[in-house]
Amino acid sequence: MDTFIAAVKQQTFPLSGADSYSACVTIPLYYYFENKSSSAQFMPSALLKDSFYTTLQEFSFFAGHLHMKNGGVGAYIAVDPQNLNMPEYTEHNSDSVSFNDLKAAGYSPNALPTEISKADIFSTENADNVIKLVRIKVARLQNNTGVVILVNPVHALADAYGFCEFMKRWSHVCREIMAAPGDQASSSDTGLLTERKALYDSLPENGQPMDETTAKVLGKKSLLSVLLAWLSPEKRAEFLDSVTPCAMTDNHVFYLSNETLRGLKETVNEAVAAAASNTRLSSNDIITAILTMVSVQCNQAHDGDPDDETIIVNFPVDFRKRLSNPSMTKYTGNCVVAPMLPFQYSDLRAKVSSESLAVCALKVRRLVDLVTPEYVRQCFDLIDTEPDCIMRATAYSSSIASGFCLSNHSRIDYYGVDFGCGTPVWINPPSTYVPNYATILPTSTYDGGCYIYLSLLKGDMERALQHKFWRSVTELVN
């Protein structure tokens, strides 16, 4: 840590519109590492911590203070060597929880040692009235049977892909130090892009119209959006934390096998072809359609809503590979837009079948295909010039029936994180999260199947656990 503090320079790190959009939330994730060889030198504490601060030299803005100006436009991180906002790094030794205990519980976060069982999902202040941009909690399990690392960064720093790249870099530095103690870890070959200028330089000069619903939502100023945008990041996060019913949620992880997914993909695409469409649906299109239909059918609050009423489904789209600049695949900042897809209840209340899934999945595919570099430019131009735009989606969602949000991380290399003692055997979001939300996570073998972390209100989750189609295609893990 002392080396980092001595080397850090004063700087201002501008953030993009996408970063500002997500400044109020965090992206917590647990990494589970098993000490399979019962090694006494399994992921040594001092080595983990030293390599973290060595890696931090390449990401010095993680130790800055988050600021916003002009009511939401122009977010930036200020790094002041005389007033650093150092990441919160703690380690705990558990005398009561072993790795086998976690394994027996299906790696449920509820079985974790109490010291790391809670993860803030909004970027609220700590006891010193400061937003820590990164929080790391390490739990060394009973008899050194394993280590669990909770990584909880503010979303403005990076998206899920970007922070996974940081984790891989941290683990790489750890391995280098382990192999050659005393030598300085190399940084010349990372290829990672952190400067937001790289993103803007990779976008076309002119935008193109967005889809009708997203353009309507992001273009609609309201009193609530203006008030939320003018709040400081701390107060905005505090407000959102107070009004989001996280304590009323129930969360489970379900496994969707590659075999089942292949079968669904085949039958749903056959239904698409029978409807005289040449579109080929992806696995993501079909999973999104399934989760959208199941979540709405299990949502008790919508039971009496008319069939012609609209509900909004929101899903981030990573556009790194859609840009002409190939180096953007190593960009660590937020590189997503979140288009909004309207559905009528009549589409979602139908019996889940190949035909009804085809209807929903086709809508997903058509919207995803609209996300071109020009679409992104239009979206960013709006966010960067309208002070309250970053809060318009939040304000809009408060005025309509609650929708559903899904984020697909199944292609992120979470299991590429290796601190020198093996890759994680499991990854998991926290046990408490926002309702009506799902994260799709890869398996450790990347076998084409996926784990689906689903968060619903408790009564709705009871319905999901009994939903005939959902339970026929998934296996409950925890």
Side-chain angles (χ1 to χ4, degrees):
M1 183 194 302
D2 293 341
T3 302
F4 168 77
I5 293 174
V8 69
K9 305 293 184 183
Q10 182 144 355
Q11 62 176 309
T12 299
F13 192 88
L15 298 176
S16 72
D19 299 323
S20 302
Y21 196 83
S22 54
C24 299
V25 296
T26 66
I27 42 175
L29 194 69
Y30 290 96
Y31 291 78
Y32 295 67
F33 298 88
E34 183 178 11
N35 187 357
K36 297 177 181 179
S37 62
S38 301
S39 169
Q41 297 301 313
F42 182 75
M43 297 177 64
S45 300
L47 182 59
L48 280 178
K49 192 170 185 177
D50 289 347
S51 58
F52 173 78
Y53 286 108
T54 299
T55 309
L56 203 63
Q57 295 180 44
E58 303 171 33
F59 298 83
S60 59
F61 58 97
F62 285 15
H65 290 270
L66 177 63
H67 297 276
M68 286 195 180
K69 56 185 179 181
N70 300 331
V73 173
Y76 64 97
I77 294 172
V79 181
D80 181 357
Q82 305 304 316
N83 182 30
L84 290 174
N85 180 23
M86 293 297 289
E88 189 176 276
Y89 187 109
T90 57
E91 179 164 337
H92 309 273
N93 292 306
S94 175
D95 296 327
S96 59
V97 180
S98 70
F99 198 89
N100 281 337
D101 293 333
L102 299 182
K103 192 182 297 185
Y107 302 108
S108 169
N110 294 319
L112 287 166
T114 55
E115 295 85 355
I116 68 164
S117 60
K118 183 179 184 299
D120 294 325
I121 61 172
F122 293 100
S123 49
T124 51
E125 299 169 318
N126 66 0
D128 298 322
N129 299 319
V130 173
I131 291 179
K132 290 294 184 181
L133 299 188
V134 180
R135 293 174 179 173
I136 305 289
K137 292 184 180 181
V138 179
R140 192 164 298 276
L141 302 175
Q142 186 183 50
N143 298 324
N144 203 29
T145 51
V147 165
V148 178
I149 300 178
L150 167 61
V151 184
N152 197 3
V154 172
H155 208 330
L157 297 178
D159 58 16
Y161 169 85
F163 213 83
C164 181
E165 289 299 308
F166 169 81
M167 290 295 293
K168 288 165 65 177
R169 178 58 186 160
W170 174 17
S171 67
H172 176 81
V173 169
C174 187
R175 295 197 308 272
E176 285 193 329
I177 296 175
M178 183 184 294
D183 290 352
Q184 185 173 356
S186 64
S187 60
S188 58
D189 61 347
T190 64
L192 297 179
L193 293 176
T194 59
E195 294 290 340
R196 273 40 178 183
K197 184 176 183 296
L199 171 59
Y200 285 94
D201 287 348
S202 299
L203 293 174
E205 183 176 348
N206 298 312
Q208 70 177 27
M210 295 179 287
D211 61 281
E212 181 179 353
T213 301
T214 305
K216 174 186 174 183
V217 172
L218 293 185
K220 185 177 182 181
K221 178 179 291 191
S222 68
L223 177 60
L224 180 58
S225 67
V226 172
L227 290 174
L228 288 175
W230 276 98
L231 289 175
S232 67
E234 295 88 347
K235 295 304 180 185
R236 190 186 308 147
E238 182 181 328
F239 171 77
L240 293 174
D241 188 32
S242 68
V243 299
T244 305
C246 297
M248 300 169 63
T249 62
D250 195 8
N251 313 279
H252 289 287
V253 176
F254 300 86
Y255 174 59
L256 177 59
S257 72
N258 181 40
E259 181 181 3
T260 300
L261 186 54
R262 280 203 321 265
L264 287 167
K265 193 173 179 180
E266 181 178 343
T267 57
V268 174
N269 273 302
E270 286 174 355
V272 170
S277 172
N278 294 323
T279 305
R280 183 73 181 172
L281 299 175
S282 69
S283 297
N284 179 69
D285 301 332
I286 293 166
I287 294 172
T288 301
I290 292 172
L291 282 166
T292 300
M293 294 190 72
V294 170
S295 67
V296 168
Q297 291 179 11
C298 294
N299 194 319
Q300 300 176 79
H302 297 324
D303 284 349
D305 293 338
D307 281 349
D308 61 354
E309 191 165 317
T310 298
I311 190 169
I312 299 294
V313 177
N314 178 256
F315 45 88
V317 177
D318 187 322
F319 57 84
R320 285 175 175 84
K321 294 184 178 179
R322 300 175 186 226
L323 301 174
S324 58
N325 182 358
S327 63
M328 283 301 295
T329 58
K330 301 296 283 183
Y331 177 71
T332 62
N334 285 280
C335 206
V336 297
V337 291
M340 301 172 195
L341 182 58
F343 282 99
Q344 286 194 327
Y345 283 119
S346 55
D347 291 330
L348 303 179
R349 286 174 173 157
K351 180 181 178 181
V352 185
S353 64
S354 298
E355 291 74 23
S356 60
L357 286 174
V359 171
C360 292
L362 271 172
K363 291 186 176 182
V364 174
R365 170 47 39 195
R366 287 165 182 158
L367 183 55
V368 171
D369 285 344
L370 288 178
V371 181
T372 61
E374 291 77 16
Y375 180 108
V376 175
R377 166 57 78 180
Q378 185 82 357
C379 183
F380 273 41
D381 284 349
L382 186 57
I383 293 173
D384 288 338
T385 56
E386 294 286 339
D388 69 309
C389 188
I390 58 171
M391 286 291 105
R392 289 178 185 174
T394 302
Y396 179 79
S397 64
S398 69
S399 66
I400 61 169
S402 56
F404 188 75
C405 182
L406 176 147
S407 189
N408 191 339
H409 298 182
S410 61
R411 295 184 180 179
I412 297 178
D413 189 22
Y414 289 121
Y415 293 98
V417 176
D418 182 355
F419 290 93
C421 298
T423 58
V425 299
W426 184 258
I427 55 172
N428 208 100
S431 58
T432 301
Y433 216 71
V434 296
N436 302 317
Y437 186 89
T439 303
I440 304 170
L441 298 167
T443 66
S444 59
T445 57
Y446 297 92
D447 60 1
C450 61
Y451 291 107
I452 300 173
Y453 171 88
L454 182 62
S455 177
L456 300 174
L457 293 173
K458 292 178 180 179
D460 300 343
M461 182 60 80
E462 290 178 7
R463 287 187 173 188
L465 292 171
Q466 299 173 20
H467 192 284
K468 186 175 181 181
F469 177 83
W470 177 245
R471 296 311 311 277
S472 72
V473 298
T474 62
E475 174 188 338
L476 179 64
V477 177
N478 69 42

